[in-house]
Amino acid sequence: MIEQKEAHAPPFRVVIPARYGATRLPGKPLIEIGGRPLIGWVWERACASAAAEVLIATDDARIAEVCAGFGAEVVMTRADHRSGSERLAEVAERRGWDSEAIIVNLQGDEPGIAPILIDQVARGLAEHADAGLSTLACGIEDAEALFDPHVVKVVTDGQGYALYFTRAPVPWPRDAFLRDRQHLPEGVPFLRHIGLYAYRAGFLARYVGWPAAPLEQAESLEQLRVLWQGERIHVSLAAMVPGPGVDTPDDVQRVTEWLRVSARGSPEERRADA
């Protein structure tokens, strides 16, 4: 069991949206990994953060029953939500959270997110009052990842605010890539987006009322709706690289092995036994 608690994070809540009908992997939250349901691993990560409250939001009775069985608090939501953000907004409204309340959206298929990253994304929002939401990124070290459309890239300004998110390889070092696209040139800030978000409840309510943006639809990246509306997203460089998530059947074995190897936790994630 991860026991870490971060002392310096601002007050915040974590909501884990979980749905049964994933297109590529139906019933994904309940898939057993290492003898436990996937959603249980994610919930444990959230509980090890400094969150004042951790909730699982779902519209499926099967997920709710399993989550209640390992002690999680579950909020039943409507079945017509198109995204996890909409599910979070319903939870915030029903709970009557203040408009300034910070909510971290932790996806239910990310058992490799360390608790310190959950704290970090909440802190990033608290420290940037002009941002509508905050998120994280980490460096890209190889050309294969940069050119992979499944790896979302982000470009920021000098203050860490997002300029754009894309599946394309950016930035594009023109002269270097004219010579060689197999290796990344030094000194270029290639960043991979980490899909962990913190919102203020008031912003979240506005966000889900906006129509989908053309850029969002073209790239299949929901966060582009925020930039389309002229709002700011703050991006912090992640304190550590997160472990793998589960998107496809092939990922299940990969995550199982990763959790087995990291069962005792990294130095950043565990307290000393003494």
Side-chain angles (χ1 to χ4, degrees):
M1 172 71 72
I2 300 169
E3 296 182 349
Q4 174 187 326
K5 289 287 180 179
E6 169 63 57
H8 304 296
F12 69 95
R13 299 171 171 89
V14 174
V15 180
I16 305 170
R19 66 189 184 95
Y20 193 90
T23 303
R24 287 184 289 184
L25 204 55
K28 181 164 57 173
L30 304 185
I31 290 174
E32 284 210 357
I33 295 180
R36 302 172 57 192
L38 172 60
I39 190 70
W41 290 101
V42 179
W43 175 78
E44 180 184 285
R45 296 270 164 165
C47 290
S49 75
E53 188 174 16
V54 177
L55 305 173
I56 295 175
T58 186
D59 59 3
D60 192 276
R62 292 162 291 186
I63 293 175
E65 181 179 2
V66 169
C67 293
F70 57 71
E73 184 175 358
V74 179
V75 178
M76 298 301 296
T77 59
R78 300 196 315 271
D80 60 347
H81 292 307
R82 296 165 297 177
S83 67
S85 301
E86 291 185 359
R87 207 172 298 278
L88 262 68
E90 182 188 349
V91 172
E93 181 181 10
R94 288 175 54 183
R95 291 281 172 138
W97 290 339
D98 183 86
S99 63
E100 292 299 308
I102 294 176
I103 309 165
V104 173
N105 180 350
L106 175 58
Q107 297 180 41
D109 56 6
E110 294 287 349
I113 293 291
I116 59 172
L117 298 182
I118 299 172
D119 296 339
Q120 184 183 8
V121 76
R123 188 165 55 248
L125 184 60
E127 293 175 353
H128 297 86
D130 56 348
L133 70 151
S134 65
T135 189
L136 303 177
C138 61
I140 295 175
E141 304 295 336
D142 61 85
E144 182 180 358
L146 182 68
F147 285 88
D148 184 346
H150 299 294
V151 175
V152 178
K153 277 70 68 173
V154 59
V155 177
T156 70
D157 66 15
Q159 287 71 51
Y161 292 94
L163 295 172
Y164 195 60
F165 296 84
T166 181
R167 299 180 183 278
V170 295
W172 186 267
R174 184 193 62 178
D175 295 341
F177 278 172
L178 283 174
R179 297 188 301 269
D180 175 17
R181 296 186 190 178
Q182 303 303 313
H183 303 89
L184 299 184
E186 295 183 0
V188 181
F190 299 110
L191 293 175
R192 174 172 71 89
H193 178 230
I194 298 171
L196 182 66
Y197 300 97
Y199 311 84
R200 291 182 183 84
F203 173 84
L204 184 59
R206 291 192 294 117
Y207 167 77
V208 298
W210 295 332
L215 294 176
E216 170 190 357
Q217 294 174 317
E219 297 253 19
S220 293
L221 296 175
E222 189 181 357
Q223 63 270 35
L224 289 174
R225 189 184 314 179
V226 179
L227 300 183
W228 182 264
Q229 293 290 334
E231 300 278 354
R232 307 186 82 182
I233 300 175
H234 188 267
V235 184
S236 298
L237 190 63
M240 62 184 296
V241 178
V246 178
D247 289 318
T248 67
D250 291 341
D251 293 333
V252 175
Q253 183 56 44
R254 185 165 61 102
V255 170
T256 299
E257 179 63 15
W258 184 87
L259 288 169
R260 185 189 66 79
V261 170
S262 62
R264 290 179 298 173
S266 67
E268 295 88 350
E269 294 178 12
R270 70 172 186 268
R271 295 174 178 172
D273 293 333

